[in-house]
Amino acid sequence: MSSREEVGGSMEPSRDLIGLSSEPLSIERVYSSAVSPSCGAVALFIGTTREHFEGRRVIRLEYEAYEPMVKSELSAVCRDIRSRWPMVKHICIQHRLGLVPVAEASVAIAISSPHRCEAQEAVGYCINALKASAPIWKKVIKSVCVWCVWCGVVCGVWRHSRIAFE
Amino acid sequence: INTYYLVTVLYFAKSAELTGHRSEVVPLPAATSSCQLWALLLELHPSLAALQDQVVLAVRQQYVALGDQALLLADGDEVAVVPPLSGG
């Protein structure tokens, strides 16, 4: 019985799933697109929006992307992951675009592998590589004066990543 | 004589705010370098100077750091102004 499952699992082709969406991310869907009968582990990373930035309260974040290039850069990240961790089965990377309220997920990554080590290492590598190479930008909308209608415009700043280009 | 081609220039994040454009079609020289390209974009939009030293370009969806290496553009190519990334 278990050998049939193993065979069935290894027959299943590996998947790289990359998506950008202005809808809230479904963690359940990210997880279920990575889970595999041949794997004993799915490692998950979820990036969420923080309520403080440079000492000010954040109202929301706004993301924009160079969408076709995000897909080509993240496909290259998937290829890197597969050459570094050949046992990795499925990779699912979903990033949200547009307005993202505080405490909601802006990015979700799920990676499966037969044993947990590869999946965990690959997920850590994947989020670092995404931050370094995916052309995505977040604008932080901070609260400065709650009475000012224009603050959302005036106080928005483009966050600069501390990770430099390669 | 350098040939000029019509190239689509895309502006993202702060560069879109500085120029007031998300994209525009610009005649650019076929044989150039990323440094010269940036200088031409600065001529078009002097406000982009605020991004000097932090910007890279993407030519046909490949990152190109500002430098002197030769760059060949073709008709209909896409060049993007890429301020520091902040995804995740």
Side-chain angles (χ1 to χ4, degrees), chain B:
Chain B
I1 298 167
N2 205 340
T3 310
Y4 277 64
Y5 285 121
L6 289 178
V7 170
T8 302
V9 181
L10 305 176
Y11 301 98
F12 292 98
K14 193 166 183 181
S15 68
E17 286 178 357
L18 291 169
T19 61
H21 293 278
R22 294 205 158 266
S23 86
E24 61 184 348
V25 176
V26 182
L28 292 173
T32 183
S33 70
S34 54
C35 255
Q36 285 173 328
L37 212 55
W38 177 244
L40 289 169
L41 295 177
L42 274 180
E43 266 177 46
L44 274 177
H45 302 287
S47 58
L48 284 175
L51 286 174
Q52 188 81 41
D53 303 327
Q54 348 176 339
V55 78
V56 300
L57 300 176
V59 178
R60 296 179 293 270
Q61 296 184 29
Q62 297 287 323
Y63 291 122
V64 184
L66 296 193
D68 297 327
Q69 65 274 40
L71 200 65
L72 289 175
L73 293 176
D75 211 22
D77 269 355
E78 202 170 81
V79 170
V81 174
V82 179
L85 308 177
S86 51

Side-chain angles (χ1 to χ4, degrees), chain A residues 24-99:
Chain A
L25 298 178
S26 162
I27 305 307
E28 179 63 34
R29 202 173 304 161
V30 170
Y31 159 74
S32 55
S33 59
V35 75
S36 164
S38 65
C39 290
V42 176
L44 195 62
F45 172 81
I46 302 163
T48 56
T49 54
R50 256 194 309 256
E51 66 176 349
H52 285 92
F53 177 71
E54 290 173 352
R56 295 219 181 267
R57 213 166 76 79
V58 172
I59 297 171
R60 60 179 188 269
L61 296 180
E62 195 177 337
Y63 285 90
E64 70 170 80
Y66 185 9
E67 296 192 30
M69 189 169 165
V70 168
K71 292 192 175 152
S72 59
E73 288 294 320
L74 291 184
S75 296
V77 169
C78 289
R79 284 196 297 277
D80 279 355
I81 288 172
R82 293 191 181 285
S83 71
R84 285 166 187 249
W85 295 280
M87 296 308 285
V88 157
K89 187 71 183 172
H90 302 310
I91 304 174
C92 179
I93 310 171
Q94 303 289 316
H95 203 295
R96 192 158 162 196
L97 298 180
L99 292 178

